[in-house]
């Protein structure tokens, strides 16, 4: 079962997200997700198996430039994660489908995502979900 997350689900979301974004604490993610949820331009979904949270997805509307997009707003997959013991059951596809339906309902005609250049699992997932590679970039920064 996939559940459209609400504010009461923030702890579940943050705990799942901390497994993927392990450079953030659960408390940091709770704070960030609370702000995102209040914007109404984003949605989180939680996948349950037998009442146990197995994964989540975060999508939102982007109005700024999105690589490869021709329209605005664009639905954007900000993050998707399924616990290792629940993988290869189609849960990622189910979560993505919910995100795409949400974006379509918000008027989007395109849906985008990204992954780190060395994240082979994410790259394979995106290809399997019929995303088309738009570009490869390496970003730079320096302190002034």
């Amino acid at each position: 079962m996939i559940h459209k997350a609400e504010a009461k689900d923030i702890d579940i979301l943050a705990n799942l997200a901390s497994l993927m974004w392990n450079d953030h604490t659960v408390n940091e993610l709770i704070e960030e997700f609370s702000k995102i949820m209040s914007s109404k331009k984003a949605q989180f979904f939680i996948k349950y198996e037998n009442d146990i949270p197995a994964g989540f997805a975060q999508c939102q509307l982007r109005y700024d430039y999105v690589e490869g997009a021709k329209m605005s707003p664009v639905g954007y997959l900000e993050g998707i994660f399924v616990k290792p013991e629940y993988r290869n059951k189609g849960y990622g596809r189910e979560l993505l489908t919910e995100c795409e339906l949400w974006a379509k309902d918000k008027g989007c005609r395109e849906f985008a995502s990204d992954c780190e250049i060395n994240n082979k699992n994410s790259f394979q997932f995106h290809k399997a979900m019929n995303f088309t590679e738009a570009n490869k970039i390496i970003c730079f920064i320096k302190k002034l």
Side-chain angles (χ1 to χ4, degrees), residues 15-130:
N15 278 292
L16 285 167
S18 71
L19 298 173
M20 179 173 65
W21 292 313
N22 55 16
D23 55 338
H24 295 284
T25 67
V26 171
N27 287 337
E28 287 172 336
L29 292 165
I30 286 172
E31 185 178 326
E32 181 181 336
F33 290 174
S34 294
K35 289 177 190 172
I36 292 169
M37 281 182 154
S38 67
S39 78
K40 305 294 183 204
K41 294 180 183 173
Q43 185 61 57
F44 293 84
F45 295 94
I46 303 171
K47 172 66 180 179
Y48 288 91
E49 182 178 278
N50 300 323
D51 296 326
I52 298 170
F56 86 101
Q58 174 193 355
C59 54
Q60 63 188 57
L61 303 177
R62 286 202 180 179
Y63 295 88
D64 55 338
Y65 175 73
V66 173
E67 193 76 40
K70 300 195 179 359
M71 299 173 186
S72 182
V74 175
Y76 206 90
L77 182 65
E78 300 291 344
I80 189 165
F81 176 79
V82 176
K83 290 178 181 175
E85 62 269 29
Y86 296 101
R87 292 182 184 163
N88 301 312
K89 295 183 173 191
Y91 294 171
R93 180 181 300 276
E94 289 178 39
L95 286 161
L96 176 61
T97 297
E98 289 297 323
C99 289
E100 291 172 340
L101 291 171
W102 176 83
K104 199 172 189 179
D105 188 54
K106 297 290 183 188
C108 297
R109 295 182 46 200
E110 294 178 297
F111 195 83
S113 184
D114 63 60
C115 72
E116 295 285 327
I117 214 161
N118 60 348
N119 189 336
K120 292 181 184 353
N121 289 338
S122 183
F123 181 81
Q124 294 296 333
F125 172 79
H126 284 84
K127 295 300 276 184
M129 297 300 110
N130 297 316

